Amino acid sequence: MTPHKGKLALTFFMFAVLSLGTAMTARADVVYISPFVVQPSGQGVVPTVLTLQSPGNTSNEAGSVARGNGVDIRTGDAVLGVNTKTILFSDTGASSAANLGIFLDLVEPGNDAMLTLNTLVLTAYTDSGTVLGTFSYTGGPLNLTATPGAGGGRSDHVFGLDAAQALQLQGVLTTNPSLRLGLASSISNAQGGPDQFFFGARNVPQTPVPEPATMFLLGTGLAGVAAKVRNRRKANKSEAE
């Protein structure tokens, strides 16, 4: 190999390595699924990851829980305590990244309160705090109805990863079974909270399985096509002879 070709090959190799490293931590999509009730979902019942509460008379709340140097780090309006912490994927209740749900329990004192979710970011960490991937909601401001009355006790809304991003997270999870998950979010029009995010399993639509009658008709049709092909081949052979 000539020196020029050797340098060119090394350049392509380094580009591939850097591209792979970037892909592992690239931002990706968190999608809003629907209103979804999980009950009960109170503190201590589900793996709560992030609790936000707007301070004083303000209506905006924003904060995060992250992992760094082997400990959890809380920022902004994240409530201190056991209900704001990173969660081991194995403790989320989800069997895979595809059915991981990010549930939001909006608990406000007013009836039919309408809050606006502005940002939501899911981050995957090693136990020591190395970032392995970030997944962001990019759908723009989302108006969400809160649970009427104070106290909560059930979730109101669920988010999840789309198929491509779930596959990415599953790949990271395969090589990092001690994966931890943290969240960051910002919400406006809050009336005091506390508003809680927790993890759990969500239902994923499955590919419909054909009914027996449909399978029978499909099989009959394929058999008919095969018979016609055989007859045509025999006719062509006879003409050739």
Side-chain angles (χ1 to χ4, degrees):
M1 180 181 293
T2 65
H4 176 71
K5 290 183 178 179
K7 290 181 179 179
L8 185 62
L10 179 60
T11 299
F12 277 117
F13 174 77
M14 293 302 296
F15 176 79
V17 170
L18 290 173
S19 297
L20 178 60
T22 301
M24 292 299 289
T25 58
R27 293 184 60 160
D29 287 339
V30 170
V31 294
Y32 177 64
I33 307 300
S34 66
F36 195 95
V37 175
V38 172
Q39 191 171 5
S41 66
Q43 297 181 1
V45 178
V46 292
T48 304
V49 58
L50 178 63
T51 301
L52 295 177
Q53 191 159 22
S54 54
N57 296 322
T58 64
S59 59
N60 297 319
E61 53 192 25
S64 67
V65 58
R67 191 75 173 176
N69 297 321
V71 296
D72 289 342
I73 302 170
R74 303 170 185 86
T75 66
D77 301 320
V79 176
L80 299 178
V82 295
N83 294 306
T84 300
K85 60 183 179 180
T86 60
I87 304 293
L88 286 168
F89 188 93
S90 56
D91 291 337
T92 64
S95 59
S96 68
N99 81 328
L100 174 68
I102 305 170
F103 296 87
L104 173 56
D105 185 9
L106 294 169
V107 184
E108 299 293 331
N111 291 330
D112 299 323
M114 182 72 74
L115 283 74
T116 302
L117 179 90
N118 299 302
T119 61
L120 177 60
V121 180
L122 171 70
T123 304
Y125 302 91
T126 63
D127 187 62
S128 62
T130 300
V131 175
L132 299 178
T134 58
F135 307 84
S136 303
Y137 171 73
T138 56
L142 181 63
N143 294 326
L144 301 172
T145 303
T147 301
R154 67 175 190 179
S155 70
D156 299 306
H157 304 278
V158 62
F159 298 79
L161 298 177
D162 66 22
Q165 316 317 328
L167 186 62
Q168 177 184 337
L169 181 59
Q170 189 64 40
V172 175
L173 178 62
T174 300
T175 56
N176 297 273
S178 60
L179 194 75
R180 303 189 75 94
L181 300 176
L183 283 180
S185 182
S186 62
I187 296 173
S188 54
N189 301 322
Q191 299 177 17
D195 303 309
Q196 300 178 337
F197 293 89
F198 63 93
F199 293 123
R202 68 179 179 87
N203 294 327
V204 179
Q206 302 296 317
T207 302
V209 178
E211 298 178 358
T214 303
M215 293 298 293
F216 175 76
L217 292 174
L218 177 60
T220 303
L222 292 176
V225 171
K228 287 183 179 181
V229 172
R230 287 196 299 270
N231 292 336
R232 183 174 299 174
R233 287 178 177 174
K234 288 181 181 179
N236 291 339
K237 184 177 181 181
S238 298
E239 291 176 1
E241 293 175 350

